[in-house]
Amino acid sequence: MAFQEKFVEADGFRIRYLEAGKGEPLVWFHGGGGLQLNRLHDMLAEKRRVVAFECPGFGASPVNERTKSMQELAATMGKAVAALGIDKFSVTGISFGGK
């Protein structure tokens, strides 16, 4: 499954995400090492629409000096999901993204 790189504007951030698949949305949040896809993502995208976000301050995004708590980051990421028009979805994350 080929993931496509996309961006969404939310809460004053330009947020990068990778997307593939069709079906019920599955939102994925990465761990402290940043967004890294693997075979699991491909397998999930065979049956679901997988949207894997890169949180502000990770990867190629600018340093995030604004967010002071996980609650603030969660609110930002919730706005990113909403900006994509996704209102019903499953969510998963590993390590940092699981918080």
Side-chain angles (χ1 to χ4, degrees):
M1 195 56 55
F3 277 80
Q4 294 183 341
E5 179 182 52
K6 300 179 181 183
F7 294 87
V8 63
E9 300 288 331
D11 201 24
F13 292 101
R14 183 173 189 248
I15 299 172
R16 177 178 173 252
Y17 67 99
L18 302 175
E19 181 176 2
K22 295 183 190 274
E24 293 182 35
L26 171 66
V27 173
W28 179 277
F29 295 113
H30 63 77
L35 180 56
Q36 301 170 21
L37 298 183
N38 57 47
R39 177 71 183 123
L40 172 62
H41 295 90
D42 293 331
M43 291 169 54
L44 290 167
E46 290 174 3
K47 298 190 183 230
R48 305 284 298 263
R49 173 186 176 195
V50 177
V51 181
F53 283 102
E54 181 174 81
C55 294
F58 286 84
S61 65
V63 173
N64 179 358
E65 296 177 346
R66 191 179 88 201
T67 304
K68 303 296 181 206
S69 69
M70 286 303 288
Q71 290 81 8
E72 288 180 14
L73 182 58
T76 295
M77 299 315 295
K79 291 174 185 175
V81 172
L84 295 180
I86 301 172
D87 58 355
K88 184 177 178 184
F89 58 95
S90 297
V91 63
T92 190
I94 59 167
S95 189
F96 175 85
K99 290 182 180 181

